Amino acid sequence: MKHLQEYRDGDIADAVARSIHETTTRSWSIMEVCGGQTHSIMRYGIDQMIPKSIRLIHGPGCPVCVTPVETIDRAQMIAEQPKVILCTYGDMLRVPGSRGSLSGLKTRGCDIRTIYSPLQACQIARDNPNRSVVLFAIGFETTAPANAMAIKIAKSEKLKNFSALVSHVLVPPAIEMIASDPVCRVDAFLAAGHVCAVTGYEAYHRLSEMYRIPIVVTGFEPVDLLEGIRLAVLQLEKGQAYVENAYQRTVAADGNPTARGVLREVFQVTDREWRGIGTIPQSGFCLSEAFRDFDAEVRFPLDWKSVECNNCRAGDVLRGILKPNQCEEFGKGCTPDSPLGAPMVSHEGACAAYYQFSQLGSKANAPQ
Amino acid sequence: MGRADFGGVVAEVCLEYLPEIQIGEYAIVHVGFAISRINESEALRTLAQFRELGILETDFAERNPSV
Ligand code: SF4
């Protein structure tokens, strides 16, 4: 892709890293909120390129990881209903709920289909008028416009056999929860570039001012991440705190207004439980009144209380309190082949990132 | 719907959120939806900034003549 080479170029990355070394005089903790960025950091060894005094803390930005266990159980129970086809993103299949995983149900004969685009769920609904098609609509603000569009299409085409199990989460309230924690150890945030590509970054100004914390909109390539870190460190060293965009080629201040318009139409903001973390006020999307007819929770009312029942410390990992390799189960009771928690399953999960890239001898994997 | 080339693999992409995109331009695509156009002049400007900052001694446009 055009310019992708430069943003992966080792010499440019080294040069930006050198500049971080020259600027840094103190220790700082910087949280990358997005799990995709955690994976890039581990894959490219970004944590090894920067000064030892800069600590990268991995944030809660893994949608599959924060989807409540109750919602996962609910998806499974819906999939077990007669004539249902459950459509899900592949990452969700192996995430353990309290009664097993969706992939377990699939091998037992439930019709669970892996999709890469939510529009496929609309097509499946058109092709199967006698079946009830349920889209498992999870994700952050990056995925929400796609799911919203599928739901909007279902309404306009009167696809009565289509519904959505919606469990969307929003980034700014999660940043606020972390920043407002009295024992917050985060000095600066790298905001996820692809989330901001949709939402823009107006909402971050208030957070940055209120908690006096630099927030840098950052991309996913090695040079992007290093540049995000460089700008965050510059602000910290100068005692400044504002919102900065290190991902200008992709992110406009107002994001994607068309997508934001559709989000406002299809969804409304609601309190949402984050798995392992707890309920964060106004931190998710549910369907708006106008689209309530397409709510799978209304169509399949199920009474069920879920319980977490293993030693998984995902909540501590997602809040940046525990590094994945500090979890007692890491690499022993919990591996990608037999995961105890979602962070070991998802390609945005921090535990999977540490497991996958641990051979690289990353600093993060050294004994603490 | 449009078609996008992902480094050799061509797939259908929904362009509802990026109606202004032109043939030949680059976009961020997520779960089958183009959500953001890659602004080439901004891409070049950021790279040029690294040079201005003295971070880079060489001109990488020369080093990568195919760019
Ligand atoms: S290593 Fe496994 S058990 Fe430990 S926190 Fe990560 S997912 Fe949970």
Side-chain angles (χ1 to χ4, degrees):
Chain A
M1 188 168 80
K2 217 167 202 172
H3 308 306
L4 193 56
Q5 270 340 95
E6 289 99 314
Y7 285 94
R8 282 184 185 164
D9 184 296
D11 290 345
I12 300 180
D14 283 341
V16 180
R18 240 186 343 267
S19 163
I20 300 173
H21 279 270
E22 282 160 16
T23 314
T24 309
T25 65
R26 296 175 46 189
S27 17
W28 303 110
S29 295
I30 300 175
M31 175 176 275
E32 88 279 0
V33 176
C34 166
Q37 291 175 332
T38 306
H39 272 249
S40 281
I41 286 166
M42 299 304 293
R43 167 176 295 137
Y44 295 108
I46 303 289
D47 57 330
Q48 293 174 291
M49 298 175 73
I50 59 177
K52 285 203 167 42
S53 58
I54 297 178
R55 221 160 63 95
L56 295 178
I57 304 183
H58 316 310
C62 164
V64 163
C65 304
V66 299
T67 301
V69 63
E70 207 141 294
T71 309
I72 291 166
D73 290 347
R74 186 179 289 273
Q76 294 178 18
M77 291 161 89
I78 291 173
E80 285 168 332
Q81 306 288 313
K83 293 193 168 185
V84 164
I85 302 174
L86 182 83
C87 299
T88 177
Y89 299 111
D91 244 19
M92 204 38 139
L93 271 183
R94 295 178 55 244
V95 173
S98 64
R99 17 182 346 266
S101 68
L102 284 169
S103 71
L105 277 190
K106 196 175 151 95
T107 50
R108 290 208 296 279
C110 290
D111 196 344
I112 297 169
R113 309 211 187 159
T114 308
I115 52 169
Y116 66 84
S117 162
L119 296 184
Q120 290 174 285
C122 296
Q123 191 54 45
I124 293 170
R126 287 182 204 110
D127 294 343
N128 296 274
N130 299 322
R131 308 277 301 274
S132 189
V133 175
V134 181
L135 169 66
F136 196 0
I138 65 146
F140 280 94
E141 294 94 323
T142 325
T143 319
N147 289 336
M149 185 59 74
I151 297 162
K152 204 169 135 78
I153 288 171
K155 185 175 180 181
S156 72
E157 290 184 20
K158 302 195 173 58
L159 288 174
K160 290 209 174 343
N161 62 330
F162 178 100
S163 64
L165 179 60
V166 176
S167 188
H168 273 290
V169 276
L170 305 172
V171 170
I175 290 188
E176 178 148 30
M177 180 213 50
I178 293 163
S180 64
D181 189 332
V183 293
C184 171
R185 298 163 309 151
V186 178
D187 298 309
F189 288 99
L190 304 184
H194 292 164
V195 164
C196 295
V198 170
T199 61
Y201 46 85
E202 302 298 341
Y204 295 95
H205 291 296
R206 183 187 68 84
L207 296 175
S208 177
E209 276 164 32
M210 186 148 154
Y211 300 101
R212 289 219 34 84
I213 203 156
I215 302 178
V216 183
V217 179
T218 302
F220 295 78
E221 300 302 333
V223 171
D224 289 319
L225 283 157
L226 287 160
E227 176 64 355
I229 295 166
R230 185 180 77 86
L231 294 179
V233 170
L234 266 176
Q235 285 195 42
L236 290 167
E237 290 282 344
K238 288 186 193 157
Q240 296 170 324
Y242 53 90
V243 178
E244 211 168 357
N245 184 2
Y247 199 27
Q248 306 247 8
R249 69 183 185 284
T250 305
V251 175
D254 62 346
N256 183 325
T258 318
R260 287 168 60 196
V262 173
L263 289 180
R264 269 195 303 276
E265 182 188 344
V266 177
F267 295 131
Q268 68 186 47
V269 174
T270 182
D271 295 349
R272 171 80 62 215
E273 188 198 327
W274 295 51
R275 190 174 190 177
I277 294 176
T279 299
I280 306 178
Q282 304 289 290
S283 70
F285 280 142
C286 63
L287 288 167
S288 67
E289 219 40 73
F291 289 84
R292 227 13 87 72
D293 286 351
F294 292 86
D295 192 341
E297 293 196 45
V298 175
R299 230 174 260 191
F300 301 92
L302 297 163
D303 199 18
W304 169 262
K305 268 252 139 296
S306 300
V307 273
E308 296 275 16
C309 51
N310 63 37
N311 294 332
C312 176
R313 310 248 336 247
D316 292 338
V317 170
L318 289 164
R319 278 176 296 168
I321 294 169
L322 191 82
K323 293 255 181 196
N325 55 356
Q326 292 172 319
C327 169
E328 281 185 4
E329 301 285 357
F330 179 83
K332 299 180 194 114
C334 180
T335 61
D337 284 337
S338 98
L340 286 181
M344 190 56 99
V345 179
S346 170
H347 69 273
E348 290 168 307
C351 301
Y354 272 60
Y355 193 89
Q356 202 174 333
F357 302 116
S358 53
Q359 316 86 308
L360 303 181
S362 183
K363 178 171 97 187
N365 286 288
Q368 307 273 329
Chain B
M1 298 294 280
R3 284 150 60 81
D5 180 347
F6 297 87
V9 182
V10 176
E12 283 222 314
V13 165
C14 176
L15 301 177
E16 280 294 311
Y17 292 129
L18 221 54
E20 70 279 13
I21 190 112
Q22 302 287 316
I23 289 172
E25 289 188 317
Y26 289 78
I28 300 290
V29 175
H30 183 66
V31 292
F33 284 69
I35 51 169
S36 176
R37 188 177 75 93
I38 301 206
N39 185 322
E40 183 172 6
S41 55
E42 287 296 347
L44 289 170
R45 206 173 61 85
T46 305
L47 291 166
Q49 265 174 7
F50 294 140
R51 274 197 299 274
E52 274 165 34
L53 285 165
I55 286 179
L56 289 176
E57 298 91 39
T58 48
D59 186 332
F60 46 83
E62 277 170 29
R63 288 188 297 128
N64 297 332
S66 63
V67 169

